[in-house]
Amino acid sequence: MRVRTLVYAAAAGLATFLVVFVAVSELLLPYLEFSVLVGLPAGIGAGVLIAAVVLVQFGRNADGTPQPLALGLGTFGVTFLTILVVALVLLRAGVIGSIVSATGIGIVGGLVVGIRARREKPPTG
């Protein structure tokens, strides 16, 4: 297993954990006093699932190139974490605003890379 595969899987899993954890906790906050106790297992489950998908599907094509889904999810994770760190540390933005902007930019980046990988056909011959 290559380092690139592990980095993409870890980034995708961590990014998914953070997004699901914050979303579930914030959505349940008006109804549940300890909404974090519901958001935490939901985030862990989603993060582990996405990391496993990236680990299993990365490099599954016959020529060793990554599957578009795994490449898109991994790119989302790397982009999300990069934008989140930049927004929090360098720009000193708020946590919720940083997560929302990192999620939006990460989704766009993951979709662009996934669609481009899907359209590229390996050369025949």
Side-chain angles (χ1 to χ4, degrees):
M1 192 163 295
R2 295 181 7 190
V3 174
R4 179 181 176 201
T5 305
L6 294 175
V7 168
Y8 269 67
L14 183 61
T16 304
F17 163 74
L18 288 172
V19 169
V20 171
F21 169 64
V22 170
V24 169
S25 296
E26 288 297 318
L27 288 174
L28 292 180
L29 189 59
Y31 308 107
L32 228 63
E33 186 172 346
F34 299 107
S35 61
V36 172
L37 297 177
V38 177
L40 194 58
I44 290 172
V48 167
L49 179 69
I50 294 299
V53 167
V54 173
L55 277 177
V56 170
Q57 292 297 315
F58 210 87
R60 294 284 279 194
N61 287 339
D63 59 352
T65 59
Q67 291 280 352
L69 176 63
L71 192 60
L73 289 172
T75 302
F76 162 75
V78 170
T79 306
F80 174 86
L81 293 175
T82 303
I83 297 298
L84 184 65
V85 168
V86 166
L88 286 174
V89 175
L90 296 179
L91 302 177
R92 301 202 187 273
V95 174
I96 297 298
S98 298
I99 289 176
V100 168
S101 61
T103 301
I105 294 170
I107 287 172
V108 170
L111 282 173
V112 167
V113 169
I115 290 170
R116 287 191 69 200
R118 187 178 172 119
R119 288 188 181 172
E120 291 177 2
K121 303 278 189 221
T124 57

